[in-house]
Amino acid sequence: MFITTIIINKLEVIIFKGLSISKKVFLKDKTYLLNHIINNFGSFIFGYIYVSIWKSLTKSSEMTTYVMVNQSALWLTMFLPYGCYIPQKMREGTIAFELLKPYGIMYGSFFEVFGHTIYNFLFRSIPIYTFSILLLHAELPSSNRIIPYFITLFNAFLVAFFLNYFIGLWSMKFISYTGAQGLYYFFMNIFGGYFLPAEYFPGILKQIVPFLPFACTSYIPGSVYLGKISFSFAFFIQSFWIITLGITAYILTEKLSKNLKIQGG
């Protein structure tokens, strides 16, 4: 009982300390609210154009829902801060101060990105999703899919965080992050499932794509929303990649932190 109490208290400290970091990022992002509201219209129009293309090709209203659900979720699963803020800290030289803080770089980066993502969910994803329901008649999920969808959406965020975090680690090793960022967007656009769902890939790729980490960010949550794949399958694949990417990120962080090249200052 005593050990359990200690563990719970420790977890509370870790969580609340992290949430205080998230709150600072949330309030910082909120200063740009008007700019982001205007940007939401551009994002919605882009989704509308993409929906129109799919309608002309498939004559299916299902793709309207798939595209717009993922369009609203891109702010949580793809458009995260470049390298989880690490490249910016490398340029400014402030990464050195991260090493002096009582928590690790990965811990701080996660809660910084988490605060940014909560902001995006409230002021970007929800408005775009609402417009999709009202103007494009995207379908609401059935009641038994709401909780599974939000679980897979959160898992999608975790996978996307680690993929972006690797870009930050790349900048810690090689200073520049543009090459890694380009590869990230390339693989996300091709295999993420937003532009092209897995079932439309040719041959064996149709079977492989759902098992890739990139598909965990858009294809899997969108398919769970529509009931096209089971929650158990989605949860298993996403959990596998969260654990694999998380362990790899931790090991690389520990290794790179010992040989950090600091730029700027």
Side-chain angles (χ1 to χ4, degrees), residues 190-193 198 201 204-213 215 219:
I190 298 297
F191 300 116
F201 276 84
I204 194 172
L205 283 177
K206 183 186 301 184
Q207 309 299 324
I208 295 175
V209 169
F211 293 92
L212 299 178
Y219 174 72

Side-chain angles (χ1 to χ4, degrees), residues 70-127:
N70 281 324
Q71 180 69 30
S72 62
L74 286 180
W75 297 103
L76 315 177
T77 62
M78 185 173 179
F79 298 141
L80 300 183
Y82 294 158
C84 300
Y85 297 109
I86 294 176
Q88 178 183 346
K89 294 174 182 177
M90 289 293 296
R91 291 194 305 271
E92 297 171 349
T94 55
I95 191 70
F97 297 106
E98 298 295 315
L99 300 176
L100 300 176
K101 292 180 179 180
Y103 49 80
I105 293 176
M106 188 162 73
Y107 173 92
S109 296
F110 173 78
F111 280 102
E112 285 179 334
V113 175
F114 184 68
H116 175 81
T117 304
I118 292 298
Y119 171 85
N120 279 351
F121 176 74
L122 294 175
F123 298 108
R124 291 190 162 187
S125 295
I126 289 180

Side-chain angles (χ1 to χ4, degrees), residues 44-71:
F44 176 79
I45 291 172
F46 181 84
Y48 171 73
I49 294 172
Y50 193 44
V51 163
S52 299
I53 293 173
W54 273 109
K55 276 189 172 182
S56 66
L57 292 174
T58 64
K59 309 297 182 183
S60 171
S61 60
E62 184 180 76
M63 284 304 297
T64 298
T65 302
Y66 178 86
V67 168
M68 294 312 299
V69 165
N70 281 324
Q71 180 69 30

Side-chain angles (χ1 to χ4, degrees), residues 161-223:
F161 165 77
F162 286 121
L163 292 175
N164 269 276
Y165 185 74
F166 286 132
I167 297 171
L169 294 180
W170 180 280
S171 71
M172 288 173 63
K173 176 66 175 179
F174 301 107
I175 306 299
S176 174
Y177 69 95
T178 53
Q181 187 71 36
L183 285 174
Y184 167 76
Y185 276 130
F186 173 79
F187 285 112
M188 285 290 282
N189 287 331
I190 298 297
F191 300 116
Y194 169 67
F195 286 107
L196 188 65
E199 52 266 28
Y200 290 97
F201 276 84
I204 194 172
L205 283 177
K206 183 186 301 184
Q207 309 299 324
I208 295 175
V209 169
F211 293 92
L212 299 178
F214 312 102
C216 292
T217 61
S218 288
Y219 174 72
I220 285 180
S223 296

Side-chain angles (χ1 to χ4, degrees), residues 247-258:
I247 292 173
T248 304
Y250 178 80
I251 293 173
L252 290 177
T253 301
E254 292 297 306
K255 182 177 180 180
L256 291 172
S257 296
K258 297 176 182 178

